Amino acid sequence: MATSLPSASEPSHVVITGAAGALGRAVVQRFLGEGARLALIGHSDKQLADAFPGLDNSRHLLIAADVTSESSMQAAAGQIVQAFQRVDTVVHVAGGFEMGAAVHTLERASWDRMMNLNAWSFVAVAQAFAPSMIERKAGSMIAVTAKVAGRGVASMSAYIASKSALQRLVESMAAELSPHGIRVNSIAPSVLDTAANRQAMPDANPADWVSTDVAAQTVAFLASLAAQALHGQHLTLDA
């Protein structure tokens, strides 16, 4: 079933989690360039205000919410749907990364942290926004997974397991929601070229990394009518 999109005369309504991060800001700029009306979700009001000082608050929303909390996301979604009347696209950028111990010395707290940030958060976001999309029989949800999700790597087991779990959630949800006209997909970058990654890996060559602008362009593609035949796909991004 093809997903209906807003007509050319009306803006798309887009929700972006993790909006204040490096990739989130690039995604925001991409959709702003397309004339979309945005609801930006971040850790705190201050974080969002600092990241988007010139944003038109009469048109766009800045919402502090915890993406790992069902109640927090339900409250955010209620506020957004009330203001926008509909949500066309949800881009779930929020997540986390950390190196870890070897599997045989892995601490439960590290495992839970990665699973909560990268996998459960998608469930909480989906619970908040999918019902209104199902009612309209239209919409698109886009997650940010990872190229490395397909195979284990030393000292990254919890992170990779959480991103692999996220990919399976995307695939399952795509199968569940495609009959309702909703598309669910992800982008799966290798290493994103961000200031934090440059600082964390000073000896690496950023020329081998993926720019946040390119990643944002791919997100916008997945939200567009051009991607209406894609369901449960992970678009690998590599330099």
Side-chain angles (χ1 to χ4, degrees), residues 32-44:
L32 283 176
E34 296 183 357
R37 191 177 183 195
L38 306 180
L40 308 183
I41 296 176
H43 293 305
S44 68

Side-chain angles (χ1 to χ4, degrees), residues 3-223:
T3 300
S4 62
L5 293 177
S7 68
S9 61
E10 58 179 334
S12 178
H13 295 75
V14 180
V15 176
I16 302 169
T17 72
L23 177 56
R25 292 194 304 272
V27 172
V28 168
Q29 292 305 314
R30 182 70 187 186
F31 281 107
L32 283 176
E34 296 183 357
R37 191 177 183 195
L38 306 180
L40 308 183
I41 296 176
H43 293 305
S44 68
D45 292 326
K46 184 180 186 305
Q47 180 200 42
L48 290 164
D50 289 346
F52 306 105
L55 199 69
D56 181 358
N57 290 331
S58 67
R59 176 175 171 80
H60 308 291
L61 299 177
L62 300 179
I63 298 177
D66 178 0
V67 295
T68 67
S69 164
E70 300 106 298
S71 60
S72 183
M73 288 310 305
Q74 289 289 346
Q79 183 179 347
I80 292 165
V81 172
Q82 182 177 17
F84 287 0
Q85 300 302 306
R86 71 170 196 276
V87 171
D88 300 302
T89 299
V90 175
V91 185
H92 183 46
V93 179
F97 170 81
E98 62 183 40
M99 296 295 290
V103 172
H104 67 283
T105 61
L106 186 65
E107 294 182 358
R108 178 62 181 267
S110 177
W111 174 267
D112 289 346
R113 191 160 48 246
M114 289 293 92
M115 284 293 177
N116 208 30
L117 283 170
N118 292 325
W120 181 254
S121 65
F122 181 74
V123 176
V125 170
Q127 288 175 343
F129 291 101
S132 65
M133 289 183 173
I134 291 171
E135 185 176 351
R136 290 181 54 238
K137 293 193 176 299
S140 174
M141 299 193 70
I142 302 159
V144 178
T145 60
K147 179 184 177 182
V148 296
R151 184 176 179 82
V153 176
S155 302
M156 291 176 63
S157 58
Y159 170 74
I160 291 175
S162 68
K163 287 295 190 179
S164 179
L166 176 55
Q167 289 192 340
R168 306 295 80 78
L169 289 169
V170 166
E171 293 159 8
S172 295
M173 193 172 169
E176 293 157 358
L177 297 189
S178 62
H180 299 282
I182 301 162
R183 293 174 289 115
V184 187
N185 295 286
S186 89
I187 63 167
S190 54
V191 180
L192 288 170
D193 187 1
T194 66
N197 282 338
R198 288 189 180 223
Q199 183 176 4
M201 296 175 277
D203 297 329
N205 181 8
D208 296 331
W209 299 350
V210 178
S211 79
T212 54
D213 288 342
V214 167
Q217 289 175 30
T218 310
V219 167
F221 162 72
L222 285 174

